[in-house]
């Protein structure tokens, strides 16, 4: 079946099988391999992307379900000139990644966290609750939590 | 995944007519259970009928006596609706504890209720609050809706359209979540309306159930002391790698006690 969708602000028209998962469309048809497949069972969150500006797991949605909608992947996060988004900078500054496999998903989820809590009080418990859908097997999470709280406490950048 | 045809109707009548024209169709709501099931090849529908474009399934209405939630409302919408949080905060809390944020963005109340997973959270709220389930054909009382493990009173092709919850004075939902999935190992929803207490338990048995003995005792004296000697026999409870039936029996008392303490 032929579907159209906007990926990172670019209109794409692609031919997919009804059973094609969104993550497979992104990685294999569009070459956007920044979105990772960790568990393929909707647990680990490495495949997190934004669908109409909500974080979702792209391994648990059919490409057909995303037709005519707007997708943002990790490739759409950095600035046009290649400089990092401030939340990416914050991950770098706080050692928020080690092997880096979960990082694209962590960043996509973090973007929603900083948007949701930018004018609210936030504590570590809230950040950890919001990160429940993303697994990291290296960091022990502390440095990821620090990356997000550092951004929320110190960044003057507005989204 | 086996292959299938994919259809996206824009009205309930169109969805039903597609369903009846297919060999072995399945409706898909958020797909948080169905897509993993398809991946494991545990289901092989000829056609998937996506209900996400049917706008009449998406409204939330809060009236004086009841809250009516469209079947395609996501857990996120339910947890973040200010109107629901004011009228029935226990329902918002329940929705905010399902799965994880990404799952809450996609998963729907209608999908969860129609699936009748023994560890799902909503069934406890429905049964405790004496909800009504509206479908494309009729209205079903909650007491008649959940039949058993993954089994409901829904007929072939019938679509859950909305669920209405009578508003109560006080309610609390406490669950012992599986630490990986967030599913309820045991969840207890306790509600209080006109001095009538209803206690509904999910996760523990093949389907959600009430503990009338606890309800009677709590209606007379609302304290953890009044129910401390009531034990739900583990004979009919679930036993799996997450918890033995004996442990689930124990957790029922712990979760009900926590709910009672919250409302005391």
């Amino acid at each position: 079946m032929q579907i159209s969708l906007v990926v990172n602000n670019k209109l794409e028209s692609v031919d997919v099988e009804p059973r094609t998962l969104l993550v497979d469309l992104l990685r294999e048809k569009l070459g956007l391999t920044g979105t990772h497949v960790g568990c393929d069972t909707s647990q680990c969150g490495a495949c997190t992307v934004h669908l109409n500006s909500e974080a979702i797991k792209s391994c648990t949605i059919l490409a057909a379900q995303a037709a005519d909608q707007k997708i943002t992947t990790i490739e759409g996060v950095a600035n046009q000139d290649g400089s990092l988004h401030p939340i990416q900078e914050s991950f770098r500054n706080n050692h928020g990644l080690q092997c880096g496999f979960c990082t694209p998903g962590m960043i996509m989820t973090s973007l929603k966290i900083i948007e949701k809590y930018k004018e609210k009080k936030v504590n570590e418990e809230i950040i950890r609750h919001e990160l429940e859908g993303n697994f990291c097997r290296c960091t022990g999470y502390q440095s990821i939590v620090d990356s997000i709280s550092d951004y929320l406490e110190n960044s003057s950048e507005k989204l | 995944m086996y292959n299938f045809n994919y259809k996206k109707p824009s009205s309930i009548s169109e969805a039903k007519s597609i369903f009846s024209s297919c060999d072995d169709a399945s409706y898909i709501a958020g797909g948080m259970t169905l897509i993993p099931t398809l991946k494991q090849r545990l289901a092989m529908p000829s056609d998937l009928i996506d209900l996400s474009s049917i706008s009449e399934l998406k409204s939330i209405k809060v009236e004086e006596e009841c809250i009516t939630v469209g079947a395609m409302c996501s857990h996120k919408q339910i947890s973040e609706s200010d109107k629901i949080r004011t009228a029935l905060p226990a329902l918002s809390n329940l929705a905010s504890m399902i799965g994880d944020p990404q799952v809450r963005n996609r998963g729907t109340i209608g999908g969860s209720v129609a699936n009748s997973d023994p560890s799902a959270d909503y069934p406890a709220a429905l049964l405790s609050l004496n909800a009504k389930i509206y479908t494309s054909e009729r209205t079903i009382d909650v007491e008649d809706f959940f039949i058993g493990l993954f089994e409901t009173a829904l007929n072939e092709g019938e679509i859950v359209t909305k669920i209405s919850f009578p508003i109560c004075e006080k309610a609390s939902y406490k669950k012992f979540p599986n630490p990986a999935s967030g599913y309820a190992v045991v969840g207890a929803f306790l509600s209080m309306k006109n001095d009538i207490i209803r206690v509904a338990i999910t996760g523990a048995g093949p389907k959600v159930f009430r503990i009338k003995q606890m309800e009677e005792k709590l209606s007379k004296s609302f304290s953890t002391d009044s129910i401390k000697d009531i034990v739900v026999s583990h004979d009919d409870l679930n036993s799996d790698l997450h918890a033995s039936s004996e442990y689930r029996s124990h957790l029922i008392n712990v979760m009900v006690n926590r709910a009672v303490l919250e409302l005391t």
Side-chain angles (χ1 to χ4, degrees):
Chain A
M1 62 190 288
Q2 195 71 28
I3 60 165
S4 300
L5 66 180
V6 175
V7 181
N8 300 332
N9 292 323
K10 190 172 157 222
L11 180 66
E12 305 277 4
S13 271
V14 279
D15 189 32
V16 294
E17 280 190 282
R19 62 179 163 178
T20 304
L21 295 169
L22 177 61
V23 69
D24 293 329
L25 163 68
L26 294 171
R27 290 178 55 85
E28 290 169 23
K29 292 246 178 196
L30 303 179
L32 297 170
T33 54
T35 301
H36 290 167
V37 181
C39 68
D40 199 22
T41 54
S42 54
Q43 297 178 61
C44 79
C47 66
T48 301
V49 300
H50 296 171
L51 169 71
N52 302 332
S53 84
E54 280 188 341
I56 60 146
K57 293 179 177 176
S58 61
C59 78
T60 312
I61 176 172
L62 303 169
Q65 289 176 283
D68 305 318
Q69 300 180 69
K70 213 179 138 205
I71 307 290
T72 307
T73 70
I74 188 69
E75 288 87 349
V77 172
N79 300 316
Q80 290 282 335
D81 63 3
S83 61
L84 294 180
H85 184 284
I87 190 69
Q88 292 174 304
E89 284 288 359
S90 190
F91 268 65
R92 182 158 75 180
N93 296 340
N94 289 281
H95 205 67
L97 62 150
Q98 288 180 30
C99 89
F101 190 87
C102 72
T103 313
M106 286 290 178
I107 295 288
M108 298 315 286
T109 299
S110 301
L111 285 166
K112 301 317 296 179
I113 300 175
I114 59 177
E115 183 185 306
K116 183 171 170 184
Y117 293 99
K118 63 183 166 187
E119 270 149 26
K120 295 180 191 162
K121 256 196 131 44
V122 66
N123 57 32
E124 189 174 326
E125 194 189 347
I126 291 172
I127 295 174
R128 286 179 184 272
H129 178 66
E130 294 287 346
L131 279 176
E132 264 171 14
N134 291 78
F135 291 179
C136 172
R137 303 283 83 147
C138 304
T139 61
Y141 299 97
Q142 191 58 51
S143 55
I144 294 173
V145 173
D146 292 346
S147 305
I148 298 167
S149 49
D150 183 28
Y151 175 92
L152 285 168
E153 279 162 26
N154 300 318
S155 179
S156 54
E157 299 263 357
K158 287 277 172 251
L159 283 172
Chain B
M1 240 187 281
Y2 295 109
N3 216 351
F4 45 76
N5 300 308
Y6 174 85
K7 314 267 169 60
K8 202 173 193 177
S10 52
S11 70
I12 292 169
S13 57
E14 192 190 344
K16 281 183 58 191
S17 91
I18 295 172
F19 190 96
S20 55
S21 70
C22 298
D23 277 351
D24 184 18
S26 182
Y27 295 117
I28 180 164
M32 293 297 96
T33 302
L34 184 53
I35 290 180
T37 307
L38 294 172
K39 284 185 184 181
Q40 293 175 73
R41 296 195 162 184
L42 294 172
M44 192 171 58
S46 62
D47 299 77
L48 274 195
I49 304 170
D50 185 345
L51 303 176
S52 66
S53 288
I54 305 177
S55 51
E56 62 185 287
L57 299 178
K58 293 180 186 169
S59 68
I60 292 177
K61 208 162 96 186
V62 178
E63 292 161 304
E64 205 170 315
E65 293 287 314
C66 78
I67 294 175
T68 307
V69 183
M72 287 299 288
C73 288
S74 68
H75 313 323
K76 181 193 179 181
Q77 280 173 284
I78 294 168
S79 69
E80 293 186 356
S81 156
D82 289 336
K83 285 191 282 187
I84 294 181
R85 188 159 290 282
T86 309
L88 197 49
L91 185 63
S92 322
N93 291 341
L94 177 150
S96 74
M97 286 190 269
I98 296 170
D100 58 52
Q102 292 96 316
V103 167
R104 290 194 288 276
N105 283 338
R106 293 287 301 159
T108 66
I109 186 169
S112 171
V113 166
N115 189 42
S116 185
D117 189 300
S119 302
D121 297 293
Y122 288 120
L126 266 71
L127 186 59
S128 174
L129 295 166
N130 204 13
K132 282 192 183 350
I133 296 100
Y134 292 81
T135 77
S136 50
E137 324 293 324
R138 57 193 164 136
T139 307
I140 308 173
D141 284 331
V142 64
E143 301 270 7
D144 303 322
F145 185 82
F146 295 107
I147 308 281
L149 198 69
F150 297 106
E151 197 189 345
T152 67
L154 291 170
N155 294 322
E156 195 68 9
E158 192 171 6
I159 302 170
V160 175
T161 55
K162 57 188 179 183
I163 293 147
S164 79
F165 297 93
I167 293 172
C168 61
E169 286 142 26
K170 281 186 191 176
S172 170
Y173 179 64
K174 294 290 170 195
K175 80 163 159 176
F176 188 90
N178 176 297
S181 67
Y183 270 114
V185 178
V186 169
F189 199 106
L190 195 154
S191 66
M192 200 190 283
K193 188 177 187 181
N194 303 332
D195 296 325
I196 294 170
I197 313 276
R198 285 171 66 113
V199 178
I201 304 295
T202 191
K207 64 165 188 167
V208 64
F209 61 90
R210 285 169 65 190
I211 310 176
K212 296 197 177 161
Q213 233 188 324
M214 283 192 182
E215 294 176 357
E216 279 162 27
K217 294 274 188 193
L218 288 170
S219 299
K220 286 187 194 127
S221 160
F222 194 77
S223 71
T224 55
D225 234 25
S226 68
I227 52 169
K228 69 176 188 315
D229 297 325
I230 300 173
V231 178
V232 175
S233 161
H234 65 85
D235 289 344
D236 299 324
L237 300 184
N238 298 340
S239 195
D240 54 30
L241 78 166
H242 306 301
S244 66
S245 53
E246 290 89 340
Y247 186 45
R248 281 190 162 88
S249 168
H250 168 75
L251 282 177
I252 288 173
N253 291 64
V254 178
M255 293 304 120
V256 175
N257 279 348
R258 286 184 188 172
V260 170
L261 289 173
E262 188 186 280
L263 300 182
T264 305

